[in-house]
Amino acid sequence: MITATMRGLAAAALTVLPLLSAAPAQAEQIRLQDGIAALPLAAENRTGYERTKFKHWIDEDHDRCTTRSEVLIAESRTEPAIEGACKVVGGTWFSYYDGETVTDPAKLDIDHMVPLAEAWDSGASQWSAARREDYANDLGADRSLVAVTAKTNRSKSDQDPAEWLPPAAEARCTYVADWVSTKLRWALTADRSEVDALNALADGCGYAAVQYELAPAS
């Protein structure tokens, strides 16, 4: 089971820089603008995409907790209530996209920071099924998966930052840094409209930085 401390810090943060202390010791740290510049530029291609090509919410470490449960347990700000093998039925979560505090896990979705369809468009179409499964269940980085209100996750859908941003304005610099960190972690590309939007947003984020560690080979 992933530790609650590291992910809890990420869930509580509303600015980019406090996240840096929670990053792995071997992570790369660069300016947000430099992180955006490091994203390989390429057109998107959704040909052949199916959500089922990303097997997700698995019990990777065989502790009877699925990826969804692992994130809920780790991000709860209070001791989570668990029933049965590993069903999370209570806790306290902060949805940083919209600034709402939630106590009913049924009202939360676990958002893939870079949606599965966007990942497919940006290079995951060339991955093996095993690597897509690793991506969809990435518990190795606090930024990859986040518990947020279902309404904001479904509003976001598969859109990139050129098309959708968190409704809470104070969350946007963190969101942009998380997005860039995730794309760099998985060596995903970005298209021109996405890069333009990221740069425009980064201009208002001061000395924000991104910190990431490359995903392990699958």
Side-chain angles (χ1 to χ4, degrees):
M1 186 179 295
I2 56 178
T3 60
T5 302
M6 301 268 290
R7 190 176 290 277
L9 286 171
L14 285 178
T15 59
V16 175
L17 293 179
L19 291 172
L20 300 181
S21 62
Q26 297 180 349
E28 293 287 337
Q29 178 179 318
I30 55 178
R31 293 174 62 248
L32 175 56
Q33 290 84 348
D34 292 337
I36 297 168
L39 295 172
L41 190 64
E44 295 186 353
N45 184 352
R46 193 159 297 186
T47 303
Y49 170 73
E50 295 176 5
R51 188 172 176 83
T52 54
K53 292 182 177 179
F54 292 81
K55 185 179 180 181
H56 54 287
W57 305 166
I58 64 171
D59 176 10
E60 185 174 21
D61 55 5
H62 307 293
D63 64 354
R64 300 194 294 177
C65 295
T66 66
T67 303
R68 173 182 166 82
S69 294
E70 296 273 19
V71 176
L72 290 174
I73 291 167
E75 290 195 358
S76 180
R77 293 184 165 190
T78 58
E79 186 70 22
I82 302 172
E83 291 182 350
C86 191
K87 181 180 180 181
V88 181
V89 295
T92 305
W93 295 271
F94 180 73
S95 169
Y96 92 83
Y97 288 5
D98 51 5
E100 292 193 14
T101 297
V102 179
T103 57
D104 180 359
K107 296 181 179 179
L108 294 168
D109 282 351
I110 305 305
D111 183 38
H112 291 94
M113 174 54 58
V114 175
L116 302 181
E118 171 72 19
W120 178 273
D121 299 348
S122 306
S125 61
Q126 304 304 309
W127 294 349
S128 67
R131 188 154 185 80
R132 287 196 291 270
E133 179 177 314
D134 288 346
Y135 177 83
N137 298 277
D138 184 14
L139 296 174
D142 292 335
R143 296 164 172 83
S144 295
L145 300 168
V146 58
V148 295
T149 56
K151 63 183 180 182
T152 54
N153 182 51
R154 294 167 197 183
S155 171
K156 173 184 173 179
S157 186
D158 59 5
Q159 299 175 93
D160 70 24
E163 304 160 314
W164 187 91
L165 290 170
E170 64 271 21
R172 292 175 183 173
C173 287
T174 297
Y175 183 78
V176 169
D178 289 354
W179 181 278
V180 174
S181 295
T182 303
K183 284 221 159 178
L184 290 172
R185 173 171 169 78
W186 289 92
L188 294 169
T189 64
D191 65 16
R192 173 51 63 190
S193 64
E194 178 185 347
V195 169
D196 289 347
L198 291 170
N199 279 320
L201 290 159
D203 286 343
C205 292
Y207 294 100
V210 296
Q211 195 156 353
Y212 68 98
E213 187 174 20
L214 290 175
S218 300

